[in-house]
Amino acid sequence: MGIKLKELSKIGYTNHVARSLAVNIISKHCKHTAKEDIATILTDLLFTPDKYKGDPVWNKLAEHFSPTVKKKVFDVYELSDDPVVYKTYGVRFIDNLAKQQMNLAMRLPVAVAGALMPDAHAGYGLPIGGVLATENAVIPYAVGLDIGCRMSLSVFDASADYLKRYAYQMKEALRDYTHFGMDGGLHFEQEHAILDCEAFQSTPLLKMLHGKAARQLGTSGGGNHFVEFGEISLRENNILNLPAGNYLALLSHSGSRGLGAAIAQHYSQIARDVCRLPREAQHFAWLDLDTEAGQEYWMSMNLAGDFAKACHEQIHINLSKALGIKVLENVNNHHNFAWREEIAPGKYAIVHRKGATPAGKGVAGFIPGSMASAGYLVSGRGVSESLNSASHGAGRAMSRQKAKEQFTNSSLKKMLAERGVTLIGGSVEEMPLAYKDIDRIMPAQESLVDIHGQFMPRIVRMNKE
């Protein structure tokens, strides 16, 4: 028998962590218990938590209300000798360091499954393009600093030739209604329900970050984040249920800004304090989801994901209003996140996707190439070996530093001119040749997704590095 959050609040469970712990316990252990009996226990536990500390069901919640002082404040773990077996897609496109990082992740004692996508390349901790399933544990650094980073694609009620007729207006709209980089924000106030979310009041950290979130709402980060207009060619019987043809579209890529970064840094440090691992695996320190810190991070991570989505919503609303065009359909999907998912019949785990796109059966997604190559509207096939995942892009072929050393601004401008692409901002770090060929990556994952449309960038806005 379930119980609603409002009902928990009436009982006296007013903080988010207590409610999360209660919901988790009830869903696991009280499926056949009457709601009145659950409410009685919860009320009694609230006022006499020590009575329930030895209870196998309610002890975690009792500890939340009346923590026991323990001499030992951390656990020490060793890695398994052999990694859990996992599936690799497009192995010939993946560098050895990324493979080594994935093998290390699969030696964690909490690792139960994994997969490596064809766009994979070395990252910090879990490789970009790595998918890791763990048992009741979340790894802040396997989610990453840019929590909830996502792609958002809007298809407009305008044909592709709009790009030629109104190129000037679109460039001006991108300059006026988008903002990139660490500091500042848009020159006009943003309003969105995310800023009223009660989770912002649930921890001191989130309270402190609310002002920054308000300032950064509707903006994008630096690096490879972008907002771009282009044309999309939709196939027959596409997942958007739109007539086949060529449309004007808007694609954006960014995440949760300073909010996500602060959450990641804060809880990564807590994880390292309570979960001691060998030096080479320290980035993989985890938080048990039955602990208060684990529940706090889970709540904060979900808030950051919702904030990232809100930023994209504002970007698309602002630009469509400025140009007087209407959104017909939108597809958005995030990576750099963790989900509780069923990975086998009756078996649930925490699935971390570090730079990987959710690709459950029939789930819409978007996989970009570069600013001078195609991106693809897809739907997932729900392949269990990939943990219902696909690549989140083409993947880098060289580091940003190597790209800066190898390419010049003039070579970048020349290439974009040849491809008919206008760039506002940007730098040689994002040179298209610094990325893998998306049209070699897509065949490597044809078993994971079906293609429904092809998008070509035309006017791209990025941060000026």
Side-chain angles (χ1 to χ4, degrees), residues 127-280:
I128 312 301
V131 185
L132 174 65
T134 57
E135 186 172 2
N136 201 47
V138 62
I139 304 172
Y141 226 79
V143 170
L145 290 174
D146 197 8
I147 299 172
C149 187
R150 67 177 58 228
M151 304 291 176
S152 182
L153 173 79
S154 286
V155 179
F156 294 107
D157 62 343
S159 60
D161 65 0
Y162 187 100
L163 284 155
K164 295 179 180 178
R165 292 186 288 119
Y166 297 100
Y168 173 79
Q169 290 88 338
M170 298 170 82
K171 293 173 192 175
E172 290 302 299
L174 284 171
R175 289 188 176 98
D176 292 341
Y177 294 96
T178 65
H179 178 88
F180 290 79
M182 295 296 294
D183 300 318
L186 293 166
H187 62 275
F188 55 97
E189 188 175 355
Q190 300 294 289
E191 294 183 2
H192 194 284
I194 189 66
L195 297 177
D196 298 322
C197 180
E198 65 175 13
F200 272 115
Q201 304 304 315
S202 60
T203 71
L205 175 65
L206 293 178
K207 287 180 181 179
M208 181 181 70
L209 292 170
H210 185 270
K212 176 176 280 191
R215 289 193 303 275
Q216 294 187 334
L217 180 62
T219 69
S220 308
N224 63 348
H225 292 165
F226 60 78
V227 180
E228 60 191 24
F229 284 106
E231 54 187 279
I232 188 166
S233 176
L234 294 178
R235 298 183 178 183
E236 295 283 353
N237 302 314
N238 59 79
I239 195 166
L240 301 183
N241 293 316
L242 292 174
N246 297 324
Y247 297 80
L248 171 69
L250 176 69
L251 179 66
S252 54
H253 172 219
S254 62
S256 51
R257 313 290 281 111
L259 174 68
I263 290 168
Q265 291 164 351
H266 179 77
Y267 288 97
S268 289
Q269 186 57 56
I270 291 175
R272 287 192 186 196
D273 289 342
V274 300
C275 175
R276 300 295 175 86
L277 289 163
R279 180 180 295 275
E280 69 272 21

Side-chain angles (χ1 to χ4, degrees), residues 370-373 412 415-416 419 428 430-436:
S370 71
M371 69 174 88
S373 60
L412 172 61
M415 182 178 189
L416 294 179
R419 303 289 178 88
V428 293
E430 294 306 311
M431 178 74 168
L433 295 177
Y435 285 84
K436 300 174 187 178

